[in-house]
Structure formats: C-alpha cells, structure tokens
Amino acid sequence: MRLPLTTALPALLAMFSFSTFCSKPGESQPGGNPPAVVAAPQVYPEPTRPPAKWALLVGIDKYRHSDRISSLSGCVNDVMDMKALLLGKYEFPEQNVLVLTNEQATHAGIVAALQNHLIAQAERDDIVVFHFSGHGSQMKDISGDEPDGWDETLVPHDSRDPQGRVFDLSDDELNGLLQRLSQKTKNVTFIFDSCHSGTATRGAMTRNIPPDDRQPPASVPAHAVSTRGAEAGGSDLRLQSLNYVLIAGCLSKQTSFEHFAEGRERGALTYFLVRELRHSRPGATYRDVMDRVKGNVNALYPNQLPQLEGTELDQYVFSDSASLAQPYVLAAPAGSNQVKLAAGEVQGVTAGSIFEIYQPGARKFAAPEQPLAKAEVTSVAPFSAAAKIVSGRQIPEYARAVERERRYPDQKLRVYYQGLPQSPALQAIKAGLDGLSFVEPSPSPRSYHLLLRQIGDAIATEGADTTEISPRVPVRESGATARVVHQVKQWAKWFNVLSLDNPAATVRIDLAIRAVQEGMTRDPFAAIDKAEAVLAAGESFEVTVTNQASRDLYISILDLSTDGSIAVIYPYPEGASELLKAGASVTQRFDTFVPENRATITDVIKVFATASPVDFHVLTQAAVRDVQELPADPLGQLLAQATLGQSRGAKPSAVDLGSWATSQRVFKIKR
C-alpha cells in the first residue's frame, strides 16, 4: 500500500537554552569575568544515608512588573502536574518536593532554593530534578563568553524592575549552580519549558520576552561560572562533560508555545512529557520517552523541536528503574463517605470518573491486591477533587487512588477570529461554526488551536504558530462560508483523534517503526537526542505492534497526515477486525513518498488496542461524514464524540480505562 505522508500541522514552540554554573552562597566577584569552568573527573563523596529523591519545581505565570513582562497561563499548571507525577509514579517524598510559584519565584528565591534545597542536601546516589516553566530571554553578557554579546536567561518573578536592581537569572549563574549540583550526584535532570530567542512572535502564547538592554552590575555573583571555550549543545547548554540530562522545550532560536488541552493551558513540552511519563513502563530511558515527546510536540508545532542533551541519555528516567507501572494520586478521608484526591483539572480528573483506593504504600493495583474502596468524583478544582465512596469502607490518610473509569469531557477545537468586527465574511463563518458542539471561540489570541483571518479578499486558516494549514478561500467564491466551515470541521476531527488518550491504561502495547531500504533496516529514532526522526523519500517503513498485555487485543493502525486526512491502514478493508494474541506481534510494511512540490512532510502513525472489536473507519476522512447511529458501548461513544461531537447532547458514559490503550509515533520524510 502506498501512503501519502504529508506535512505536520503548525504552531511554533520554544524552549529555553543556556549554559551551566557554580558558586558559594551570598558571595559576589569583582569585575565581569566569572571563573571559567574546568571539566575534571568527578569523584563523589561517600553518602551518609540511603539514597533520597529531591525536586525543585518553579512555575511563573504572573510577574511583578506586568507592564514590562507579559503574563503566562500554563506555568503553574506545569509544575503542579509534574509534582503529581513525581509523587504518584516515581514516589518522591512530598516533603522533598519544593514548589515555587509566581511571587515565591524571585531571583533570590530561586538561587536560594537551588543552593539550600538541592545542592546542600544532595548526596552521591540521590535523584534530583529541577524544572522551570516561565519566560526565557537574554541580557547583556559581561563575562565575554557569548559571541553575540548576550547571555541566555530565565526570567524570575521580580526581574526588569524600574530601579535596575533585579536582573534575569543568567546562564553564567545557572551554570555555576548546576555544576555544583552535578558534583554532588550524577543523577540530575534539568527540565526547562521556556525559550530565549529574543524574537517577537505573532501567534498563540509564547514563553519569551525581548532581551533586557539594561547594563548589568559589573560584579557577578560568586556562583556564576563562565562557559568560555566550552562545547554547547543544540539548546546552548554547555559543559557537555558533566553528568546530567537536559530536557528543553526547543532549539535555542525557536519559541516555546503554551498548549491548550483538557480545558487548561500547559507548556507544550511539559504536557506531552508528563503524558508520556505516565504511560512509560518501569525502567524506561530518557531516549524511550523523548522520541515520542518530540514527535507529539512537533506534530502540532512543526517549528518547535524539544531537545534532549547530556551524558546519561540511556539512563532510566529520573535514575529510577522501579517506578510504578501505573501512577496513583494521594487520597485522604474528608468526612463521612467522602474522599479528597490530590489531583484535579490540571491532571485531567473529571466529575463522574471512578477511582479505586488502596492502602498507603501499595505498589501494585491489581489482583491479588484488593482496593479498600471505590469512589466517584463529585467535584473538581484545579489541583484537587472531591469524591464520594460508592463501595467499600472509609480510607486512611495517605491512601493511594488509581483511576479506573473516566468520563471524558466534550472535546472542543478553539478558534480565534482575528479582525472579526471588520470582516462580514468572518462573521458569517463564525455563525456557521457557533452551532457546533465541538468548536468554541477563543476569547483571546493567546490560547487557540486555529486562527481565522481575512487577508485581502481571502480567508486564511492558521495553526497556533501562524503557519497556514488550509488553502485560502476567496470570500467572493460561491459557497465560501460553507467551505471554510467544512475545513474547520475537518481540523476539529483531526485534533480530536490525535489527542485521544487513555491516561491509566492497564493493557500495554509496544509500537516500533523501522525504515527499510534494499533489504536493510534502521531505527529512525536512534539519534533522537540530535535531530528529529527522519525517513528518506523512497524508503519503505515497517510498523510493528506487540501485544504486551495478558489478554488478546484487537489492533487498528491509523495514519494521520497533516493535511487533515485520517486513514485506517490496518486492518483492511472497512469493517475488518484483527485479534492479536497476548505476547504476539504484527508487522505491516508501507511505502512513502514526498509530493513533487514539497521538500519534507510529517506523518503520525497511531495505534489503538481494544478488548473488543471497534470499527475505526468511522474516524477516517477525506471529507467529513456524519455518524448516523450512536454506538452503544462507552468507548464507541467516545470515538463518535471525537468524530465531531456526535454525542447528541447526551451525557457521555464513563469509559473503562482497562479496556483500551493507544500509542503514536511521529516522523518526517525528506527528499
């Protein structure tokens, strides 16, 4: 079968990149030249206690000087989502996870937390995570180690003050502090969901602001370290010889976007990273996780390429080979037959969903282990939820809750209409879309999936990074309104199918893609730390799906091309179903090509595994077709709802999360 593999839906993303650092607290150095880093063999002191886990999570949405620094929306959500993951899957002690948000995350506060919470307490075999979500930028380089004269920076809450007393956290400062941290333990992970391109970008919300052109103080903090002569990675993080892993939102000159999903903004990097880590098996490596993260981000934001750097890329994620196969959330009693869950809207909890609750300290959430109680969620706040016990008994403090059924909310495509008051054509299109349950207008140009605007005498459709994703439609063309409405309906379906996910799947599948040419095979994801996954035009590729569950599963493989088309490529023909035995694999080969007018294209291969047969051909589209009959089973209803809101207004049933799983891979094809 010959598959047309096309370009990815656009939206710019960005990351933060910079160099690495070291110092003594509270001291500063005269002059503008911090000491240059010296890469010496690391000797770690003997530990004085068993290994511990530490995390510092910094998220800044609101800045003190709001007239100089624009607000963000997803940074606090990022770190709260990451905190829930560290507690609920990797079993970080809650008292060892320090969260700084908004006004807590000042320049002095971040430096003190790095010094006192991480550096001072870490020992040789400890696991340490530092996550920053917020604006990145640039400031004048006073150490002479930047060829362009600008240091890359993180922007703390109190930076850019009119008095000129507080500046960004420079890469020299960060390099010094992180170097000291990496001298305490080799199990260090840095996550930066920000960017410092210094370029103004039209489009959805981005995590960068213009460079600070003020002159910094001549004296530099004692913890700063110059990176003059040190090798830089794709994110501009230097000191490549240090023991660390860096996960960053994008290349140094790109932009990190905020991503709207499940009713909330998050950083695109953090959203997909946390989602993949929740799904990952125990003992997954950074490379295992990041090839999927990079692909998922890049499918939606083609100009944002997350980065993976460091010396420990094949190490277990967070140096932990024994993470739980299924994450939990902490649960506590809250009165008679009531439960409080330490997760909420940001973690995807929805009213009507069902959780099973186990003893404190439980690590297995399947037979022969028995739950203490079953609870149904009654109300949801951003970071917590209330539930009522529907069976079982009252629970103790620090119980562990696992989601078993989810009541999925209606999926909606957010559309922003730029210049609506001045364009009768846009007004007519909006009127045609307002009646659809799966499309909603975005209140601002800060969090949308699609933007519609009139350019001259035509309507343009753009992704969040301002790349045009549909052919322009002349406003004077007969049926112009209906044509644009049809385009938006196609994109709504495409987005919905791409985002379908099971957050707590207990059935497991493995998806592998290998390039095949002249009898030789290769892994296109092997160098994921250096570039995106790429196939050459003319290469065939094999898709292998392995059923890692203990029961037989029905397998379907979908191809989502970024022209908005969706095709079921296995099984074939329509209505067929293929049962894959437990432990067995199925391999299918496909050909690729690049259209003559293109140099590169992007494609998404998505696999669904289900306990009962499901006809996924209902999701296919060259053109949108209606679902005439609503399926009776909850999973079928979810798929019908993704096929353009076909819930007929009825309250959707809760879906059994143990009955299905999905996996997807994204790759480019280049001439």
Side-chain angles (χ1 to χ4, degrees), residues 5 8 30 47 51 54 78 117 145 207 266 319 323 372 418 470 473 505 531 645 661:
L5 304 177
W54 306 92
D78 279 355
H117 183 67
D145 64 349
R207 292 184 171 180
R266 262 73 62 90
S319 309
S323 61
L372 302 175
Q418 186 179 75
S470 295
V473 178

Side-chain angles (χ1 to χ4, degrees), residues 649-670:
K651 186 177 182 181
S653 302
V655 178
D656 178 6
L657 299 180
S659 67
W660 69 292
T662 186
S663 180
Q664 63 193 46
R665 307 296 289 273
V666 182
F667 52 87
K668 292 183 183 293
I669 303 172
K670 293 184 177 180

Side-chain angles (χ1 to χ4, degrees), residues 116-138:
N116 300 325
H117 183 67
L118 298 185
I119 297 170
Q121 300 193 92
E123 295 196 5
R124 185 184 68 186
D125 298 318
D126 287 359
I127 296 170
V128 178
V129 177
F130 173 44
H131 180 126
F132 178 89
S133 283
H135 279 304
S137 190
Q138 296 173 311

Side-chain angles (χ1 to χ4, degrees), residues 11-12 71-74 77 202-207 257-268 301 412-417 439-452 462-465 495:
L12 279 173
S71 295
L72 295 168
S73 297
N77 291 340
R202 182 175 65 84
M205 195 181 306
T206 62
R207 292 184 171 180
F257 279 83
E258 296 212 324
H259 177 66
F260 186 84
E262 300 171 10
R264 292 275 169 175
E265 285 91 357
R266 262 73 62 90
Y301 303 91
K412 294 181 183 293
L413 183 80
R414 277 198 154 193
V415 178
Y416 181 70
Y417 304 89
V439 177
E440 66 179 4
S442 175
S444 74
R446 291 170 63 87
S447 57
Y448 61 82
H449 300 116
L450 296 185
L451 179 145
L452 298 179
E462 299 178 353
D465 68 346
F495 271 103

Side-chain angles (χ1 to χ4, degrees), residues 636-654:
Q637 292 174 18
L638 174 63
L639 297 175
Q641 191 272 333
T643 313
L644 299 180
Q646 300 294 330
S647 62
R648 306 286 195 267
K651 186 177 182 181
S653 302

Side-chain angles (χ1 to χ4, degrees), residues 623-641:
V624 177
R625 69 176 187 181
D626 192 16
V627 179
Q628 299 301 322
E629 239 179 274
L630 191 65
D633 64 289
L635 180 57
Q637 292 174 18
L638 174 63
L639 297 175
Q641 191 272 333

